Amino acid sequence: MANLTPFPELSYRQQELYIEDISLTDLATIYGTPLYVYSYSALSKAYREFSEAFASRETMICYAVKANGNLALLRELVMLGAGFDIVSAGELKRVLKAGGDPQKVVFSGVGKSKEEIIFALNANIFCFNIESEAELYRIQECASELNMDANVSFRVNPDVDPKTHPYISTGLKNSKFGVPFDTAIDLYKKANQLNNIIIKGIDCHIGSQITDLNPFIEALERILELIDELKHLGIIISHLDLGGGLGITYKDESPISLAAYAEALLSRLHGFSGKLVFEPGRRIIGNSGLLLTKVEFLKHSPEHQFAIVDAAMNDLVRPSLYDAWHEIIEVTRQPNLTLNEFDVAGPVCETGDILGSKRKLSTKSGDLLAILSTGAYGSVMSSNYNARSRAAEVLVYKDQHYLISQRESFDDLIRRELTDFLTQSSLTKT
Ligand SMILES: *Cc1c(COP(=O)(O)O)cnc(C)c1O
């Protein structure tokens, strides 16, 4: 039986799964499936837990928009006081559309284009997190053209191993992200010479889904060494951005408590009086969302039983992409459970379209399943592969539910394509 404790807003009432005070069966009836469902209470609790842990210091919590950029969710985060970590001009436009304060935006990412830099300068963001020397000169050039100043930080690779999945480990020496630790001082000196660059901060982001405190402590200690060295050179760092990466429970992981995280960091920060910045994504939204799906067919092969569901890798790619594990539970519990082992598979024509393998479930055609912990890197990574429409999204608060993203229509799917061709011409006609 699934342990629901990591998902505080989920509970069974009699045999029925509820999110807050709403039955998921009711949501499926109203909105159809597949459906992303988010709990506002879980989201706001996760955000507040973060902000309260650092209440004793000036701290800016910049939610990583890439985890889930839905406008309604961003708006709720704005209302809770969040800032934002963005990785593209598109994400910045989302933040601005949601009413976010550009003075609480940090801009990360290894490949910022000139257009994106100019857009962000004009929007007057808080800071660029620079990831290479070439980017430093590009930002200088853009700022100079606009006759503006750019506030910058360097994303330094402290070269600590976060002991997480290699695809989501980003702070090692040979990572494409950030600048090598050994070159950081030199880059700060160069930046200090540039007319339109204002050195503000230093940042790092060592990976994602980290459940061990030590890599964060090691990273902080290395960054503090740099801050000290810079101070001796007369370069003052006014904010320290420790990135995101805090893990959550998907299966049986024990996440780092925010209290322990804050205590470990704050106790080492006596020598630094500047502002703190964090960039959590998954920790804020991951366990605030689930993907609701319907079983289409049960199918038996010699070695496997498949539960073929109406959600697929185009809706949730993490299992296929990272071999990620998501808890899958029945929305209606049968009184006399006969559990069978299923591979829960989607309709997409790929062998890798498996949302969960070897799951003990009691289910049949027409039943609903909930795929848990899918608030982060779920809908935002969805695609139209196999000409499938992206799922609708619903936000729940107590006994209220709000549609925050419509299911895509066929017209949405072909919107970018030029249908002139269908009537006027064919390339073979002469
Ligand atoms: C992805 C990312 C984050 C958020 O990571 P989580 O693991 O979701 O907390 C924060 N900062 C940067 C630079 C990132 O690339």
Side-chain angles (χ1 to χ4, degrees):
M1 181 154 107
N3 173 11
L4 296 183
T5 50
F7 320 109
E9 304 305 330
L10 283 181
S11 61
Y12 283 101
R13 299 187 187 176
Q14 277 83 42
Q15 318 294 340
E16 277 290 308
L17 186 61
Y18 275 66
I19 183 162
E20 305 211 17
D21 295 323
I22 308 253
S23 130
L24 284 160
T25 300
D26 288 350
L27 290 179
T29 306
I30 297 165
Y31 299 106
T33 54
L35 181 70
Y36 273 102
V37 185
Y38 306 103
S39 155
Y40 173 75
S41 297
L43 168 69
S44 55
K45 208 176 288 174
Y47 178 82
R48 288 203 182 97
E49 218 186 324
F50 220 111
S51 64
E52 281 159 17
F54 291 96
S56 64
R57 296 235 353 185
E58 192 194 357
T59 303
M60 195 161 80
I61 295 165
C62 293
Y63 167 74
V65 175
K66 78 170 191 276
N68 190 325
N70 179 284
L71 290 174
L73 299 178
L74 295 184
R75 179 67 195 164
E76 295 307 332
L77 286 160
V78 167
M79 301 305 282
L80 289 165
F84 298 93
D85 169 47
I86 57 158
V87 293
S88 68
E91 287 190 352
L92 178 52
K93 288 174 190 173
R94 283 189 168 274
V95 166
L96 297 175
K97 184 110 185 153
D101 178 356
Q103 274 301 301
K104 292 186 186 173
V105 169
V106 296
F107 192 172
S108 303
V110 293
K112 302 175 189 79
S113 71
K114 282 191 77 171
E115 292 73 17
E116 289 180 309
I117 292 165
I118 288 167
F119 185 78
L121 281 167
N122 281 322
N124 194 24
I125 64 164
F126 177 72
C127 193
F128 289 89
N129 290 350
I130 297 183
E131 306 221 16
S132 64
E133 181 168 355
E135 184 188 334
L136 169 66
Y137 292 116
R138 178 175 284 184
I139 292 175
Q140 160 58 33
E141 194 185 317
C142 293
S144 157
E145 274 171 29
L146 295 177
N147 201 15
M148 293 174 87
D149 289 332
N151 294 333
V152 308
S153 160
F154 283 97
R155 173 170 175 184
V156 175
N157 277 335
D159 198 25
V160 300
D161 185 353
K163 300 177 183 73
T164 184
H165 192 289
Y167 283 11
I168 49 179
S169 163
T170 56
L172 290 167
K173 208 184 299 185
N174 293 317
S175 156
K176 81 166 179 178
F177 301 101
V179 302
F181 187 83
D182 301 335
T183 66
I185 294 290
D186 186 44
L187 285 172
Y188 273 99
K189 285 188 197 161
K190 286 177 173 160
N192 209 24
Q193 306 296 316
L194 299 176
N195 285 334
N196 301 75
I197 296 289
I198 300 182
I199 294 168
K200 286 285 182 185
I202 190 162
D203 65 287
C204 69
H205 171 75
I206 57 175
S208 204
Q209 184 51 20
I210 299 168
T211 52
D212 176 0
L213 197 46
N214 289 315
F216 287 113
I217 295 173
E218 280 173 49
L220 172 63
E221 283 175 343
R222 303 216 69 192
I223 298 290
L224 288 173
E225 282 170 38
L226 283 182
I227 292 179
D228 244 22
E229 246 182 279
L230 289 168
K231 198 163 157 189
H232 289 301
L233 296 167
I235 298 174
I236 302 302
I237 296 298
S238 55
H239 75 257
L240 165 53
D241 176 348
L242 288 169
L246 279 171
I248 60 170
T249 303
Y250 285 100
K251 188 181 190 182
D252 48 15
E253 305 89 335
S254 315
I256 303 164
S257 82
L258 259 316
Y261 179 68
E263 209 280 320
L265 302 182
L266 293 175
S267 66
R268 287 169 174 81
L269 278 168
H270 298 307
F272 177 78
S273 59
K275 183 179 199 160
L276 300 181
V277 178
F278 296 96
E279 305 169 353
R282 189 187 314 266
R283 185 64 176 240
I284 304 291
I285 194 72
N287 269 335
S288 306
L290 60 82
L291 176 58
L292 187 58
T293 185
K294 189 178 77 199
V295 177
E296 297 284 8
F297 302 108
L298 298 187
K299 179 170 174 176
H300 307 276
S301 77
E303 310 253 311
H304 281 93
Q305 294 200 82
F306 291 97
I308 314 275
V309 296
D310 66 358
M313 64 187 288
N314 76 294
D315 300 297
L316 177 67
V317 79
R318 297 187 71 256
S320 314
L321 185 61
Y322 306 121
D323 207 14
W325 198 96
H326 287 271
E327 178 75 273
I328 302 178
I329 60 177
E330 300 93 347
V331 168
T332 306
R333 283 264 159 96
Q334 319 297 337
N336 305 307
L337 283 181
T338 44
L339 293 173
N340 287 301
E341 200 172 82
F342 288 102
D343 281 0
V344 178
V348 162
C349 297
E350 293 282 345
T351 308
D353 184 21
I354 303 284
L355 298 168
S357 57
K358 299 197 173 132
R359 301 310 176 86
K360 292 232 166 23
L361 293 164
S362 163
T363 195
K364 60 182 185 310
S365 173
D367 284 358
L368 295 168
L369 298 174
I371 307 176
L372 305 187
S373 314
T374 46
Y377 309 107
S379 72
V380 83
M381 290 177 99
S382 63
S383 76
N384 295 124
Y385 188 39
N386 280 207
R388 288 170 52 84
S389 298
R390 271 177 278 222
E393 296 174 273
V394 169
L395 179 61
V396 167
Y397 181 46
K398 298 182 179 168
D399 61 356
Q400 302 294 310
H401 47 89
Y402 308 89
L403 184 64
I404 59 172
S405 181
Q406 281 176 343
R407 188 175 307 286
E408 271 176 323
S409 66
F410 177 67
D411 281 345
D412 291 333
L413 290 192
I414 61 168
R415 190 182 309 265
R416 296 184 307 125
E417 294 170 53
L418 304 179
T419 46
D420 297 356
F421 269 83
L422 301 178
T423 49
Q424 285 178 5
S425 88
S426 102
L427 294 177
T428 54
K429 223 186 282 170
T430 46

